[in-house]
Amino acid sequence: MRGNDHGILEGRGPVRYGPPLPDDGLPVLPELAAAAAAADPAVPEPPGGAPVLLDAACGYWLRRGLPAEPGSTAAAPGGVPLLLALTAAIGGDVLLPRPCPAWWEPQARLLGRSVFHVATPAECGGVPDPYALLETVRRVRAEGGDPRLLVLSVADDPTGTVPPPEIVHEAVEAAAEAGLHIVSDETWRDTLHHDPARTTVLIDPAEMLPEHVTVVTDLTGAYLPPGLPAAVARLPATARGAALRARVLDILTALGAVLSAPAAAAATYALGEPAGITARLRAATALHARVAAAVHRALLVSGGLARPPEAGRHLYADLDRLRPALAARGVGDAQDLEDRLSERLGMPTPGGHRFGDGLAALRVRLSTGPFLGSTPQERMTSLTAPEPLELPHVQRALSMLESALDDLRADVKGWESPR
């Protein structure tokens, strides 16, 4: 068994052409911008974060039922260098759910590690099927591999789903049984949609088996703009966890992966969760949830498939049922689909091959941010309007999606609308 490279050729799937950094599409809060502007750029941040930032991170986790000490936490200028440092420090081969965030796999590939994707359960993304995980570990070891790390997410990009508690329990227990260290990416944990029609409960793996789990939160997802990258990690409060943290700090130092003073100040302010931060996050989450629900309806009506979105700002669409119509338009794989929809919709629509799926699968990730408007004024209007889906610019963006999908649906013979 070998790590899957999808056979993507240079020019058709380089990392630099991957999905852009997370962005909620909304103007930066004035108080957050003020916190960043007040920082003194002449004062360097230490590798792993200054005490004031780590204290703020500990308070953030404590409010979520995860006690933490500064000596068991670390910070970096974004989730990418933080995951890279953790992957390097843990060593061995890496296991990832399929699909998974586009930025996970390149870290392991850069280090020369083998990567093995494991199928997710039918009802959700973010975590591997526990039986498939154990079988994959068995096969990798039988062929001389050394699997040591599993990265998962309990609020998933790209699928926008939240795994049921029982599935998280089974996956975490299977990983521990297999001797894997778990990195739980919780970037989107504070963006649950709270759909009254469904009961969405987020269970943190670190609550179950704290000695096996490192929690990573990229604040660029829900709290900070891309221009102020910052991420924090909560490592196990054990001797092995202390050794892992020391190694992570060494690697961050060697990489020069130190937060800028403005990013550190903004992260410290956001992690304190003052009223303005929490109010903006609550309003933005509700807005993205409404848009995600509308995009999901459009996908289902078109004949596409997608799991109902429950968190974050993304949906993962499977358009394989529209393959005949797509083939007639020269769309034969995920890269073709990405190119066509991105051009037609005027927004990034990365193909599933960027998230660990095979190139032949006709899947794409849709983000809700571009539906909020094309100017800061339109996006703020979307945020404050009582009925954002009725705004002309939101309706226009949704209509473009519906039109693009309707053109394909009309060519599929024998298709019936989902009930």
Side-chain angles (χ1 to χ4, degrees):
M1 176 183 282
R2 297 182 178 272
N4 186 9
D5 65 2
H6 312 307
I8 298 173
L9 301 176
E10 178 67 22
R12 286 188 59 80
V15 173
R16 64 184 180 275
Y17 295 133
L21 290 171
D23 185 3
D24 66 2
L26 299 169
V28 179
L29 273 174
E31 53 265 46
L32 187 63
D40 184 355
V43 179
E45 291 289 312
V52 63
L53 172 56
L54 301 184
D55 283 339
C58 291
Y60 167 87
W61 280 309
L62 182 60
R63 290 188 293 274
R64 286 151 182 81
L66 290 176
E69 297 294 333
S72 297
T73 62
V80 170
L82 191 50
L83 181 60
L84 177 65
L86 284 163
T87 304
I90 293 167
D93 300 331
V94 180
L95 293 103
L96 306 175
R98 177 186 288 119
C100 69
W103 59 277
W104 286 2
E105 184 172 345
Q107 315 312 308
R109 297 292 188 192
L110 183 63
L111 294 167
R113 305 289 166 73
S114 293
V115 176
F116 301 93
H117 287 273
V118 184
T120 56
E123 52 267 69
C124 66
V127 299
D129 177 90
Y131 300 104
L133 174 64
L134 291 174
E135 176 61 16
T136 301
V137 170
R138 185 193 67 77
R139 290 183 180 178
V140 172
R141 286 181 175 150
E143 297 180 9
D146 183 24
R148 297 190 202 173
L149 172 62
L150 168 66
V151 188
L152 53 75
S153 179
V154 290
D156 185 45
D157 161 26
T159 66
T161 59
V162 177
E166 61 273 14
I167 290 179
V168 178
H169 272 285
E170 293 172 359
V172 170
E173 289 174 353
E177 177 185 337
L180 305 177
H181 188 81
I182 300 164
V183 169
S184 177
D185 176 9
E186 301 183 5
T187 296
W188 303 104
R189 69 163 295 156
D190 296 327
T191 64
L192 302 190
H193 293 177
H194 298 298
D195 186 341
R198 297 191 301 276
T199 301
T200 301
V201 178
L202 186 147
I203 298 295
D204 197 310
E207 296 179 62
M208 305 175 199
L209 295 174
E211 68 276 16
H212 293 280
V213 179
T214 293
V215 174
V216 169
T217 299
D218 191 341
L219 299 173
T220 312
Y223 291 94
L224 301 180
L228 295 170
V232 289
R234 176 190 181 273
L235 294 96
T238 62
R240 292 182 65 183
L244 176 59
R245 179 179 184 268
R247 180 63 177 146
V248 165
L249 295 187
D250 283 344
I251 294 167
L252 291 174
T253 302
L255 294 172
V258 178
L259 282 90
S260 68
T268 301
Y269 181 81
L271 287 166
E273 298 183 286
I277 289 287
T278 55
R280 164 59 75 85
L281 180 58
R282 191 180 307 114
T285 297
L287 171 61
H288 284 282
R290 296 188 69 174
V291 173
V295 172
H296 185 247
R297 287 193 295 271
L299 286 170
L300 295 185
V301 169
S302 75
L305 298 174
R307 296 179 177 105
E310 298 174 307
R313 305 178 187 127
H314 307 113
L315 299 91
Y316 199 59
D318 185 339
L319 302 183
D320 191 70
R321 295 170 68 184
L322 306 180
R323 185 177 290 274
L326 288 166
R329 288 163 170 76
V331 176
D333 61 26
Q335 183 64 58
D336 295 335
L337 185 59
E338 172 184 308
D339 293 341
R340 182 175 180 84
L341 284 181
S342 295
E343 180 181 4
R344 177 71 185 272
L345 300 177
M347 62 180 71
T349 313
H353 59 301
R354 303 194 186 276
F355 305 98
D357 265 323
L359 185 63
L362 294 177
R363 296 177 185 137
V364 293
R365 189 193 70 177
L366 294 170
S367 299
T368 52
F371 290 88
L372 307 185
S374 57
T375 67
Q377 293 77 16
E378 287 182 344
R379 297 174 191 133
M380 281 303 296
T381 301
S382 298
L383 182 67
T384 57
E387 298 295 338
L389 298 183
E390 297 180 3
L391 294 172
H393 59 271
V394 177
Q395 286 188 340
R396 184 164 55 250
L398 289 170
S399 294
M400 288 179 64
L401 173 64
E402 292 167 354
S403 176
L405 295 172
D406 282 348
D407 287 348
L408 301 176
R409 182 185 64 183
D411 286 354
V412 179
K413 297 180 180 179
W415 178 84
E416 294 183 2
S417 177
R419 299 176 181 175

